[in-house]
Amino acid sequence: MSTTLPAWILWLLDKLVSSAYRESLLGDLLEQRAQGRSKAWFTRQVVWAVVASTVADLRAAYGVMLMIATFVGLSAAAALGTIKTAPGLEAFDALLPALGAGWLVGRIGGVSTGIVLVGLVAIREVPPLYAAVMQFLDHFGGLWFITDHAMRALPDSLALAALGILASALLGTRPRHDPPMPAPTGA
Amino acid sequence: MAKRDLLGGLELLVLLALIRLRDEAYGVPIAGAIAQHGGKEPALGSVYLTLERLAAKGLVTSRRGEPTAVRGGRAKTYFRITALGTEQVRRTQTVLIGMWSGLPQLQGSP
């Protein structure tokens, strides 16, 4: 069986799983795929690895947990319209996408940080691109509303996003490379 | 006994799998050993996170195997339980047996 897999799955695993044994995990998954496991099984394993790794990171970094909890809570509130109508809480409109973008970009890190930020601004500032993205996200039901809300507030929140990135970088990252180990012994 | 001496559920299962597998313990066989003995097969990501946690506690050590083509050029990481890990398993066993004993609801075969 071919072990060729969608590049996005490998990218997801590489960027979002922070286990020190990430490379070994990927090797195990490819080995199992070659031995007959389905692509759906492989994808489930990758998604679970991302979830489990994120939970472990959150347990190790309560600051990031608070940030994400705030983001999720405000997203829900924004979707229900309470933030938009409550007086004096307009700052949350900027804080909302800032926290989300900060977490995501901080977790991805590296060169991708700049690319993601530039991409977000481009989507926001280029109407045809913005319309295309929103049309695509419309396939996911109500998700587009939160995303649309976040994107419209994005220009005002990049500074806050930078703070989120910094917080994520300081609090939310763990070693992304296999730890040093003894030399191979031919196993 | 201090609470920190007790192992979590998956931690204990993984350490028992390491004892069973001896020199052949890496992610796939570890998950397979747990499934073989009646447990639901854990996700490999969970197994490695558990191993990472156990390594941080000094309960397991690891060594790198040879990279192979079927693994996309990635090496296996073999794990072995340490003396401290074995001691922790024994302590957990003692606590569990102590908790189980004398409970009429748990007498006999499951």
Side-chain angles (χ1 to χ4, degrees), chain A residues 139-162:
Chain A
H139 292 296
F140 301 98
L143 178 63
W144 70 270
F145 182 87
I146 295 175
T147 308
D148 181 64
H149 177 70
M151 291 302 296
R152 289 187 185 286
L154 190 66
D156 300 327
S157 61
L158 282 179
L160 286 170

Side-chain angles (χ1 to χ4, degrees), chain B residues 6-43:
Chain B
L6 295 179
L7 296 164
L10 188 55
E11 288 179 336
L12 179 60
L13 290 175
V14 167
L15 287 176
L16 291 171
L18 294 190
I19 296 171
R20 287 180 176 278
L21 294 166
R22 297 172 182 269
D23 291 334
E24 295 301 318
Y26 69 98
V28 173
I30 293 170
I34 293 171
Q36 185 185 351
H37 288 88
K40 182 185 174 187
E41 183 177 18

Side-chain angles (χ1 to χ4, degrees), chain B residues 15-68:
Chain B
L15 287 176
L16 291 171
L18 294 190
I19 296 171
R20 287 180 176 278
L21 294 166
R22 297 172 182 269
D23 291 334
E24 295 301 318
Y26 69 98
V28 173
I30 293 170
I34 293 171
Q36 185 185 351
H37 288 88
K40 182 185 174 187
E41 183 177 18
L44 288 170
S46 298
V47 170
Y48 276 105
L49 281 171
T50 302
L51 287 164
E52 190 176 344
R53 200 161 57 241
L54 293 171
K57 293 178 181 176
L59 306 184
V60 303
T61 59
S62 61
R63 64 181 170 84
R64 190 84 46 86
E66 296 286 357
T68 58

Side-chain angles (χ1 to χ4, degrees), chain A residues 113-128:
Chain A
T113 301
I115 295 173
V116 170
L117 278 178
V118 170
L120 287 173
V121 174
I123 291 171
R124 175 65 183 86
E125 299 299 325
V126 181

